[in-house]
Amino acid sequence: MGQITKRSYKLSDGRDIIYFDDADTVLPPERGDDLREPAVRPPTATMRQDVLTGEWISIAAARQNRVVLPPSHLDPLAPASPENPSEIPSPYDVAVFENKSPSFGPDLAGVAAAPEGLDDLALVGLGRSRQSVGRCEVVCFSPEHTGSLAGLPLSRMRTVVEAWADRTAALSALPGVEQVFPFENRGEAIGVTLHHPHGQIYAYPYITPRTAQLVRTIESYGGSLFEDILSFEQKSERVLLQGEHWTAFVPFAARWPLEVHVLPHRHVPDLAATSEQERDEFSRLYSRLLRGVDALYDTPTPYISAWHQAPVHAHRDDIRLMLQLTSPRREEDKLKYLAGSEAAMGAFIADIPPETAAARLRDAMEKAGLEPFRTDLPEPELPTTERPATERPDTELPATEQETAQP
């Protein structure tokens, strides 16, 4: 099998688009130009500080104009055609491009009213505002209008993982970016606006509230928090899948009816720091996990899949990379809504014991014919890379054999 190949181009309005070709791709290397007339990009949003919490809220009014659940022949994430001048000019395996209506960016640090670093953002006061600098990208998992990550072939899943790692490295190197967050919203119950299988990546100009709380927990507990969590969960009945490099489990204090955490066995701060072997195994484990999640009911399970990564410039030795997959679905026809206690006070009440949720998911995987995840059996060949993964996100990602740029 060959190698995953990265090819970088520009859209007509100057936005970046990057094609990631599968190791076993059948696509030609050339990509076409974006033939649309250049459009004016919306201005960078403004974020305002909530003085009650110190948190920053991005006011991104341009997002009101985004397309909502278009028909297949007008899918903006499908390869462009004469009838559908979409966001992606050419056929592709995996494509990543800058969001047309971003919550953060396109401006970066250095513009007027941009944040002046984490110390500036930590100050609390009335009427404080800053530019929402950063970057938002769309990650298209497939050229097909419908489908899901769970249904992709293994080689495509591996390409998606490589794209996440590549973009984590690239976005972490941008001026003013403090945290990078790859995620997937799946299903109308979650609020998706496009049926096309895709995810997103946000590059924030601050450390997110969830991560800030984690920092406070580590300061209270100690630096061995993630190592201890992994050891504790691996001994529990909540383990779902376990390999040489990763363990998937339902956490001890799960908030959601379906909640799965996936932790690497060694400390890595983000996806860019994972090794080729870790990415290979994760691709297999995650594919199996998602197929089990979809086997729970007769219809696809809505979920949010979120990569929690260490901040770019702080706490990299303390915060370990973790995937968290959550779903509000508590029965075939019932959803958990965040009402008074959860939405207003942040005080969750769980409907399903985590041990019960883990047993349900293991049963679903068994009924779907998914054998227990084992590392002592031969696995399908996966794409290779030329050099080992880097330990820092500000170096070139080594997972591609070729990169071309369009002026």
Side-chain angles (χ1 to χ4, degrees):
M1 183 176 288
Q3 294 178 326
I4 298 168
T5 305
K6 171 185 174 183
R7 308 178 192 280
S8 298
Y9 289 82
K10 294 285 187 181
L11 297 175
S12 62
D13 59 4
R15 288 178 291 144
D16 289 325
I17 182 168
I18 306 101
Y19 297 96
F20 292 87
D21 296 352
D22 294 342
D24 56 357
T25 189
V26 297
L27 294 175
E30 297 79 15
R31 297 296 187 271
D33 294 334
D34 183 5
L35 301 179
R36 298 173 298 177
E37 288 295 321
V40 177
R41 300 187 66 181
T44 297
T46 299
M47 56 186 191
R48 300 180 181 183
Q49 189 182 52
D50 177 358
V51 72
L52 296 175
T53 64
E55 297 170 4
W56 290 89
I57 314 300
S58 187
I59 313 297
R63 288 172 53 79
Q64 284 284 70
N65 300 321
R66 63 191 189 275
V67 176
V68 177
L69 301 177
S72 59
H73 69 282
L74 296 177
D75 180 0
L77 305 185
S81 67
E83 298 76 25
N84 180 28
S86 74
E87 288 285 79
I88 306 175
S90 295
Y92 65 91
D93 294 327
V94 173
V96 181
F97 62 89
E98 287 185 73
N99 198 314
K100 181 187 297 184
S101 301
S103 301
F104 300 92
D107 285 336
L108 299 170
V111 300
E116 298 177 5
L118 293 177
D119 289 342
D120 171 45
L121 294 174
L123 298 174
V124 178
L126 292 169
R128 300 193 76 215
S129 65
R130 295 289 184 270
Q131 289 297 102
S132 299
V133 301
R135 180 74 66 90
C136 292
E137 296 185 339
V138 179
V139 184
C140 299
F141 304 145
S142 164
E144 302 300 326
H145 176 64
T146 58
S148 68
L149 266 180
L152 296 181
L154 186 58
S155 63
R156 176 64 52 76
M157 178 68 82
R158 183 63 178 83
T159 307
V160 171
V161 173
E162 202 64 44
W164 286 335
D166 177 282
R167 301 315 299 158
T168 292
L171 297 178
S172 295
L174 294 179
V177 169
E178 298 292 344
Q179 190 167 5
V180 177
F181 174 49
F183 64 99
E184 180 195 3
N185 296 329
R186 193 275 189 97
E188 290 187 44
I190 298 299
V192 298
T193 56
L194 296 172
H195 289 301
H196 195 115
H198 72 287
Q200 300 179 67
I201 307 178
Y202 278 18
Y204 300 102
Y206 52 72
I207 296 175
T208 61
R210 180 70 179 267
T211 303
Q213 177 57 58
L214 175 57
V215 170
R216 293 190 288 271
T217 298
I218 292 173
E219 290 172 346
S220 174
Y221 180 92
S224 65
L225 176 63
F226 283 98
E227 182 180 353
D228 293 349
I229 288 173
L230 184 62
S231 177
F232 174 74
E233 294 290 0
Q234 285 178 332
K235 297 172 185 175
S236 77
E237 60 185 295
R238 296 178 300 278
V239 171
L240 302 172
L241 299 165
Q242 186 170 341
E244 179 182 356
H245 303 290
W246 303 84
T247 295
F249 55 90
V250 176
F252 175 74
R255 288 172 166 80
W256 295 93
L258 172 62
E259 182 169 347
V260 179
H261 294 186
V262 185
L263 268 176
H265 293 175
R266 71 181 181 102
H267 180 82
V268 287
D270 56 26
L271 283 158
T274 55
S275 69
E276 180 181 322
Q277 292 74 26
E278 287 164 335
R279 296 179 199 178
D280 287 350
E281 184 181 277
F282 178 82
S283 301
R284 298 190 296 267
L285 182 147
Y286 192 47
S287 178
R288 191 174 300 245
L289 173 62
L290 291 180
R291 282 182 286 158
V293 167
D294 270 354
L296 280 167
Y297 304 104
D298 291 336
T299 55
T301 299
Y303 64 74
I304 297 173
S305 183
W307 279 109
H308 293 254
Q309 306 195 103
V312 174
H313 302 112
H315 307 290
R316 296 184 64 80
D317 293 333
D318 301 320
I319 295 177
R320 184 176 298 198
L321 172 70
M322 175 186 280
L323 180 77
Q324 296 185 355
L325 186 148
T326 60
S327 175
R329 197 178 205 177
R330 53 192 178 92
E331 293 292 349
E332 176 81 40
D333 57 351
K334 297 178 182 177
L335 296 177
K336 176 181 178 64
Y337 294 99
L338 300 190
S341 184
E342 288 94 351
M345 300 306 294
F348 269 73
I349 293 90
D351 303 283
I352 300 173
E355 291 74 19
T356 301
R360 287 183 180 179
L361 192 46
R362 285 194 299 268
D363 288 346
M365 287 190 281
E366 183 177 350
K367 290 177 182 178
L370 301 176
E371 297 294 330
F373 190 80
R374 295 173 60 184
T375 58
D376 59 338
L377 297 177
E379 296 286 356
E381 183 181 3
L382 282 165
T384 58
T385 58
E386 294 180 345
R387 300 187 299 276
T390 61
E391 290 297 326
R392 292 291 297 170
D394 55 355
T395 57
E396 179 185 359
L397 189 81
T400 59
E401 71 175 357
Q402 178 181 356
E403 180 171 354
T404 58
Q406 171 181 317

